[in-house]
Structures are given as structure tokens and as C-alpha cells.
Amino acid sequence: MEHDALDAGEARYELVISVDARRSGQYSDAEKPRMRERIYRVLETAFAQAGVGRDAVHMEDRGDGVLVSVPGRIAVTRLLGLWMVEVHENLREENRSLLVPLGLRVAMHVGPVRHDSRGISGRAVDLTCRLADSAVARQLLDRERADLVLAVSDSLYVDVVSAGGKFIEPARFSPARLGLKEGEVSAWFHLPGRPAPDIGPIAAEEPGAPAGSPPAAPVGGPEAALAAMDAALAARAAAAAGRRVDDSDGDDEDGADRYRAQGDLSVHRNNVYQQPVHIGRVTGDSHRKD
């Protein structure tokens, strides 16, 4: 897509699309060109099928994916709806002949984009790329053994997806909170051709989060966030104490607690002590009993 020199520094609101291949680093040097050919064939064929001219959009090669910007004169709903349907079908067709199927993570967001002779830039571009590379998108693709996952920004969901439309079903999107480098953001995830994905169990740390930090909480209000935090802290405390709780609430179905201890373990509940009490083991030369 050609841009006049006078417009090079001006930001325009455009739809940004980031497309990444699953586990691209596992492809050999001989396999990567074929992988790239498949990605471009899937995307460009879908543009033609959706009635969007190839010269009407800007496309940048990213080695293991493609970065796209679509001008405002082309309806966003066409890309969210018909184009995504065609991408999914084309990808499934490509994968029929492959022993290791090609998986794609696609993200979309609308925001200000600046064009220059080298490509596009702006926070809208950064956010879109972060969504495509998020831990939730990666894990959904793997856990659900899907060919394709779509992530959209919260603003795009609210402004466009939530209203529905041809091939756009808002009920099939699930929300999640992501801890990105720029801070926490909300996003919505969709697996084409499937019900809304269950994100809760896999809303894990985002890339760059400190080791051992609690998982990002799924959207669902303060109660859901607190419950997720409590579960994460309990799991870390159990690991630190060298014990394992058998189920999610720490109790077996018969109400009894079970622990695996590496060393000493004491469990005290509903006790009333009338005098000073020593709990634990005394080491050394002392003759006091445990």
C-alpha cells in the first residue's frame, strides 16, 4: 500500500493484525521457507476470498509471521468475520497434508498507526503483537490442539465484536487479563468453529513476569481475582513446606486432610490452649520432649 511522503508522520486509525506461527523455532532452515509459503498462501487467499484487494492492505514480513494494517475504508467486520473464516478454512486445507500441522496465532486491534518507508509503528502495533505472543494465546493453541486462535483487544471487542455480525459471534469469545510489559490489559480469545474457550486454568504468567509470581487472573470481578490469588499462594506455600494437597480445597471428599511431608509436620485446628505450649522439635542437648 503506497503512502504519500506528506503523510509519513501522521497517525491514522487502522486495523492492525499480527500473525505468528506456532513453535516457529522448531522448524529447520530447510522447513522454514515452506512454512512461510503456507502462511502467505493462507492469508493472501483469504484476502481474495473476502473481497479485499492485496494492494489495499499493508503487509510486513516478520520471518515467522506477518504484520498487517488495514485502512479505515475497509470494514473491520469483514476482517473479523469473513476473512477469519477463510483463514481458518485455508489453514485446515493446508494442514490436511502435513504430519505436523501449522498453527497460527492471530491478534487484532484498532488504533493509531504511523507509516514510513520501513513499515508501521505505534502503540497499537505493539499491543497487537503482544496479544498474538501472549501466554494465553500460546497455551490455548496447544491445549485445545487447535489450528488457529484469535485474540482481540478489549476495545475492539467492546466496539465491534460485542455487536455481532456476519460470522462474528461474541458469545464464542472469552476474556482474560494479561500482564504485559506495558502493564495489565484485558483481551478476548476465540477458537474459530468452537465454543468460547475455558481460559481460567491456563491464564498463566506472561513472558517476562518474575519467576514464582501469581498467575494473571481471568476477568470475573474481585472475587475471581482473589480466589485465583489465594489458590496461587496456597500452592506456593504447600510447595515450600514440602507437602502436597490432594485437591483444590485441601480436603478429601471424606473431610480428612492428607499431606505428604518431608520432615516434621503439625496440623492444629480449633484448639484452645490454657497455658504456654511448645509445638515442634527441640534439637541439641535439651531433654525437653517434642
Side-chain angles (χ1 to χ4, degrees):
M1 184 168 54
E2 296 296 332
H3 295 272
D4 295 335
L6 294 176
D7 294 336
E10 297 179 358
R12 285 171 275 189
Y13 271 78
E14 297 185 344
L15 173 67
V16 183
I17 305 172
S18 177
V19 181
D20 284 341
R22 171 173 49 197
R23 294 197 183 93
S24 60
Q26 296 183 7
Y27 287 83
S28 69
D29 287 350
E31 295 168 332
K32 282 187 177 180
R34 291 191 289 271
M35 174 197 73
R36 288 159 48 79
E37 287 177 7
R38 294 186 185 102
I39 293 174
Y40 277 96
R41 187 159 55 239
V42 165
L43 300 182
E44 292 179 337
T45 301
F47 278 125
Q49 293 166 328
V52 179
R54 170 61 184 85
D55 58 351
V57 300
H58 169 83
M59 295 182 70
E60 289 182 27
D61 183 74
R62 290 299 178 101
D64 59 352
V66 181
L67 182 62
V68 181
S69 67
V70 183
R73 67 177 181 273
I74 299 175
V76 174
T77 52
R78 184 178 299 186
L79 280 300
L80 275 167
L82 180 58
W83 184 75
M84 279 303 305
V85 169
E86 299 296 352
V87 167
H88 186 218
E89 289 302 315
N90 295 341
L91 183 58
R92 291 176 63 190
E93 183 65 29
E94 289 284 340
N95 284 338
R96 286 193 178 97
S97 61
L98 299 178
L99 293 176
V100 179
L102 173 64
L104 295 180
R105 302 187 308 274
V106 179
M108 295 187 185
H109 172 59
V110 171
V113 177
R114 284 180 166 81
H115 292 256
D116 57 32
S117 60
R118 295 175 179 84
I120 60 175
S121 63
R123 295 181 65 180
V125 176
D126 296 341
L127 174 58
T128 309
C129 293
R130 297 273 194 268
L131 295 182
D133 194 45
S134 67
V136 173
R138 290 175 177 274
Q139 293 177 43
L140 265 181
L141 202 61
D142 289 340
R143 191 193 70 177
E144 301 298 329
R145 297 184 179 180
D147 297 311
L148 179 67
V149 60
L150 170 65
V152 301
S153 65
D154 187 60
S155 60
L156 183 56
Y157 180 88
V158 171
D159 294 341
V160 181
V161 176
S162 63
K166 190 173 183 180
F167 303 117
I168 301 175
E169 300 180 76
R172 296 197 177 201
F173 286 73
S174 293
R177 289 289 289 175
L178 308 178
L180 306 182
K181 293 180 179 180
E182 296 81 1
E184 285 196 355
V185 300
S186 296
W188 296 75
F189 294 83
H190 170 58
L191 298 173
R194 303 192 188 190
D198 179 11
I199 292 179
I202 65 167
E205 299 172 0
E206 293 301 311
S213 60
V219 173
E223 295 80 8
L226 289 174
M229 181 70 72
D230 288 343
L233 293 176
R236 288 162 57 189
R243 61 183 173 86
R244 177 174 63 88
V245 181
D246 283 348
D247 61 6
S248 60
D249 61 3
D251 297 328
D252 280 343
E253 293 181 358
D254 60 3
D257 293 337
R258 291 187 180 183
Y259 302 88
R260 176 174 296 173
Q262 296 176 335
D264 299 321
L265 174 67
S266 295
V267 178
H268 305 270
R269 289 184 177 177
N270 303 319
N271 296 316
V272 177
Y273 302 104
Q274 303 297 335
Q275 59 184 358
V277 176
H278 171 77
I279 299 173
R281 170 175 294 178
V282 177
T283 60
D285 297 331
S286 172
H287 297 291
R288 183 192 295 176
K289 294 182 180 180
D290 293 351

